[in-house]
Amino acid sequence: MQLAERKASTVMVVPGEKEQQKVVVDLSDNGEDCEISAPDDNPAPAERRRVTVGESCPEGLRVLEGLAASGLRSIRFALEVPGLQSIVANDFSASAVELIKRNIQFNGVEQLVSASYSDARMLMYNRMGKHDRFDVIDLDPYGSPAMFLDAAVQSVGEGGLLCVTCTDMAVLAGNSGETCYGKYGSMSLKSRFCHEMALRILLHSVDLRANCYQRYIVPLLSVSADFYIRVFVRVFTGQAKVKMSASKQALVYNCVGCGTYHLQRMGRAVAHGNNMKYSAGSGPPVGTSCEFCRQKHQVGGPLWAEPLHDVTFVQKVLTASEKNPKRFKTSDRIEGMLSMVTEELNIPLYYTLDNLSSTVRCNTPSLLQFRSALLHAGYKVSLSHACQNAIKTDAPPSVIWDVMRCWEKLNPVKREKLSESCPAHHILGTEPRIEANFEIRQDANPNSRRMGLKRFQENPEANWGPKARAKAGGGISTTLDERRKHNQSKRKVAPEDLSLKQFTCKKYKQGTCDLGDGCRYSHSLEDSGGCPGTPLPSGDNTTTT
């Protein structure tokens, strides 16, 4: 896309194409990607430069991996992506830089990849000039990338690609909302939609920092996978578009009882002919308590309320992967996740079936039944790549709870066991205004699910995933197995409550307690100075057995 906008006279050879049909991507036409099939013995025109992987292209892209560690990703860029001019693999660890240099030589990519020992922020700040900026910046730190975002949005070129990874999911998913606000300028909520909210908080933070320099972002792909989130955004400059940013952010009102959520935009942008009028958003969208369960709301955000993906771009990536499935060993997962992304509705956040059912205290309808009920009611519905049992829909919360009320009538719960403060008591106390139809529709089953694509990652081995954090001072952290052995059997027996031993057993005083040492109270007369059979003084508050 970048080279097409530059009208570069370059022919790029896609890796792995020799195993199948010859595919040449010609980027010299009218700014659009054109695929031309050609036999192997038909060379490219002499006036166009033919570029393969591992070869430096003068008109190509400049890439920075700000926190490279061993340099693995930079080397993969060099060995798998054609049309690159240079790659800088940077790290602020001298030992890591030595490893990067060894890996560069070992893989024979010296002509493309160069090792750099520098603070990633200073490296990016020194490349803020219009002609010095990077075309691609990849930030994949251990934890939060918040401290690098300001430099990144300034040093990426016009229309350049910014790739950001976050592994501090405990902060972004609501366990530490105050820490999230300090790092990303947004309050996270511990809710069922926390993984998508984490994506939107990150996009909000990147856009907010870009706005300070009259720049704005356009998300291409935003994914929540395994134990991290990763976003791919393009960064552009434009004062008029920056004014639209306020209308792209929103606050979230989330009910602590039933989980119903409402969004309130931070700003409004209304078109008046060729001009735009900007104003503050109006609200709040909710009352002092939830209209469905009478519980209070918690406020989160601001967060990005626009689409997470550019479906056209995602479709291009999906098509390229399907044409050359042997290029990547994870092609199955790539195709499964990207297929789900193309099916997602451009609607912020989602509900989950298990939470809706547990709120009403009834059994859970099948995914197809619930989706079919919403489709029969005339609303759109989709899944989410961020959660297996998520429901994204444009139906208002009142319709969603009406569907659950209808389901409860088919699968009744014991109303007499519901307390008046229980959300289910208030929700089920209202009659549904619609008659839900749970007959399964064919379009209720999305294509990615019907085709059996690998949409969610399966753990490849036991204890797979991020390990325990490193010890302070550089020591080696204890392995999971060692910690299990250390803690084995420690929680099987409840700790003895010694707080009652300070009180003398009343039955013992009366000479009737036969529990002996098994009694939770003291059988010593020193506590009160009495003897067996001595009555307690008037007003004694000693608890009896």
Side-chain angles (χ1 to χ4, degrees):
M1 291 169 59
Q2 277 278 34
L3 295 182
E5 294 172 2
R6 298 177 184 179
K7 300 183 183 293
S9 57
T10 304
V11 176
M12 297 196 303
V13 180
V14 179
E17 61 187 5
K18 294 182 180 180
E19 285 80 359
Q20 302 178 19
Q21 187 182 12
K22 189 69 175 179
V23 179
V24 174
V25 181
D26 184 6
L27 300 177
S28 63
D29 291 337
N30 55 0
E32 298 181 355
D33 295 358
C34 302
E35 295 181 355
I36 307 171
S37 299
D40 290 343
D41 56 353
N42 186 13
E47 65 274 9
R48 294 177 182 169
R49 180 180 176 84
R50 182 184 179 89
V51 178
T52 58
V53 294
E55 178 184 353
S56 178
C57 174
E59 301 173 326
L61 306 182
R62 290 172 291 188
V63 181
L64 167 66
E65 186 183 4
L67 306 121
S70 64
L72 170 63
R73 185 170 295 169
S74 295
I75 293 172
R76 286 196 61 191
F77 285 156
L79 295 178
E80 299 180 23
V81 182
L84 302 182
Q85 180 184 133
S86 62
I87 305 170
V88 178
N90 176 77
D91 204 282
F92 205 25
S93 167
S95 57
V97 174
E98 291 301 318
L99 289 176
I100 293 173
K101 292 178 180 179
R102 288 175 55 189
N103 287 331
I104 290 174
Q105 295 177 356
F106 183 79
N107 289 276
V109 290
E110 298 91 336
Q111 70 282 1
L112 264 180
V113 185
S114 60
S116 169
Y117 171 67
S118 176
D119 186 330
R121 294 168 294 183
M122 297 307 301
L123 176 60
M124 290 186 285
Y125 280 132
N126 290 330
R127 298 288 293 269
M128 289 169 49
K130 186 175 181 181
H131 301 290
D132 297 330
R133 293 173 176 171
F134 295 100
D135 299 296
V136 179
I137 295 180
D138 195 314
L139 300 176
D140 190 355
Y142 183 88
S144 172
M147 65 180 69
F148 305 104
L149 296 180
D150 183 81
V153 296
Q154 296 183 73
S155 58
V156 67
E158 185 67 14
L161 183 65
L162 182 57
C163 316
V164 184
T165 302
C166 294
T167 56
D168 56 334
M169 290 304 295
V171 172
L172 286 165
N175 286 349
S176 302
E178 68 286 352
T179 304
C180 183
Y181 184 83
K183 292 183 176 180
Y184 300 97
S186 180
M187 180 65 71
S188 59
L189 300 178
K190 195 170 185 179
S191 56
R192 296 290 178 166
F193 48 72
C194 60
H195 289 97
E196 182 176 323
M197 188 175 184
L199 285 171
R200 296 185 178 277
I201 287 176
L202 177 57
L203 290 175
H204 159 76
S205 184
V206 177
D207 189 60
L208 184 63
R209 286 165 168 81
N211 292 163
C212 297
Y213 309 102
Q214 301 299 315
R215 310 195 83 183
Y216 63 96
I217 66 170
V218 176
L220 296 181
L221 177 64
S222 309
V223 294
S224 171
D226 303 331
F227 52 87
Y228 65 90
I229 59 173
R230 184 162 171 83
V231 299
F232 303 82
V233 301
R234 298 186 75 185
V235 182
F236 296 92
T237 305
Q239 185 176 8
K241 291 293 183 68
V242 170
K243 293 180 180 180
M244 297 284 294
S245 292
S247 61
K248 298 177 182 179
Q249 319 299 327
L251 294 174
V252 180
Y253 290 82
N254 179 232
C255 175
V256 298
C258 62
T260 303
Y261 64 86
H262 301 267
L263 268 67
Q264 176 187 327
R265 296 277 179 159
M266 299 291 292
R268 296 178 59 196
V270 181
H272 286 274
N274 295 330
N275 300 322
M276 296 293 296
K277 182 178 180 180
Y278 305 98
S279 61
S282 59
V286 294
T288 55
S289 61
C290 177
E291 61 177 307
F292 304 105
C293 69
R294 308 294 188 266
Q295 300 286 339
K296 63 181 181 179
H297 292 92
Q298 55 182 352
V299 183
L303 50 79
W304 180 264
E306 293 297 298
L308 295 174
H309 324 283
D310 182 343
V311 178
T312 303
F313 170 81
V314 175
Q315 192 62 53
K316 287 183 179 181
V317 179
L318 186 58
T319 302
S321 177
E322 290 174 345
K323 284 187 176 180
N324 196 355
K326 296 182 179 179
R327 184 179 180 186
F328 303 111
K329 292 184 178 180
T330 56
S331 292
D332 291 343
R333 190 186 181 194
I334 291 174
E335 293 175 10
M337 178 168 283
L338 293 185
S339 297
M340 287 197 71
V341 164
T342 59
E343 296 169 350
E344 281 187 13
L345 292 175
N346 290 329
I347 297 172
L349 309 182
Y350 52 77
Y351 294 93
T352 59
L353 275 180
D354 58 339
N355 186 57
L356 293 174
S357 301
S358 63
T359 301
V360 182
R361 305 289 181 87
C362 68
N363 61 352
T364 306
S366 71
L367 182 68
L368 296 183
Q369 286 176 317
F370 193 85
R371 285 171 56 92
S372 298
L374 292 176
L375 291 172
H376 282 301
Y379 297 97
K380 299 179 182 178
V381 63
S382 76
L383 301 179
S384 171
H385 78 280
C387 181
Q388 282 185 294
N389 58 346
I391 296 292
K392 294 178 74 72
T393 178
D394 59 349
S398 58
V399 173
I400 293 175
W401 290 119
D402 278 347
V403 172
M404 291 306 301
R405 292 183 185 109
C406 294
W407 176 257
E408 188 272 338
K409 289 181 180 296
L410 300 177
N411 304 269
V413 300
K414 296 181 179 180
R415 304 287 185 93
E416 62 275 8
K417 291 188 175 182
L418 301 177
S419 65
E420 294 184 0
S421 61
C422 176
H425 172 78
H426 297 284
I427 293 174
L428 298 179
T430 304
E431 287 297 317
R433 288 172 290 182
I434 65 171
E435 186 65 31
N437 183 0
F438 293 98
E439 182 181 354
I440 296 180
R441 294 176 41 149
Q442 185 175 2
D443 56 348
N445 197 15
N447 292 332
S448 60
R449 188 172 183 268
R450 189 185 307 117
M451 296 170 60
L453 300 180
K454 183 184 287 188
R455 302 171 298 156
F456 301 97
Q457 175 68 22
E458 298 177 359
N459 291 353
E461 59 184 12
N463 304 324
W464 176 85
K467 308 303 181 190
R469 73 191 313 175
K471 285 185 176 180
I476 301 176
S477 60
T478 308
T479 64
L480 293 177
D481 289 336
E482 291 174 352
R483 283 194 293 167
R484 286 195 186 94
K485 293 178 182 178
H486 179 72
N487 295 324
Q488 192 170 7
S489 301
K490 285 194 173 183
R491 298 186 181 92
K492 288 184 179 179
V493 180
E496 183 181 2
D497 188 1
L498 300 178
S499 59
L500 299 178
K501 286 294 185 180
Q502 59 183 312
F503 302 109
T504 302
C505 177
K506 184 176 180 180
K507 289 186 176 181
Y508 174 72
K509 288 183 177 183
Q510 298 172 351
T512 58
C513 182
D514 57 357
L515 295 178
D517 293 338
C519 182
R520 293 184 297 170
Y521 297 89
S522 173
H523 280 192
S524 173
L525 299 179
E526 296 177 358
D527 298 334
S528 60
C531 60
T534 303
L536 292 175
S538 176
D540 194 299
N541 294 326
T542 304
T543 308
T544 60
T545 340

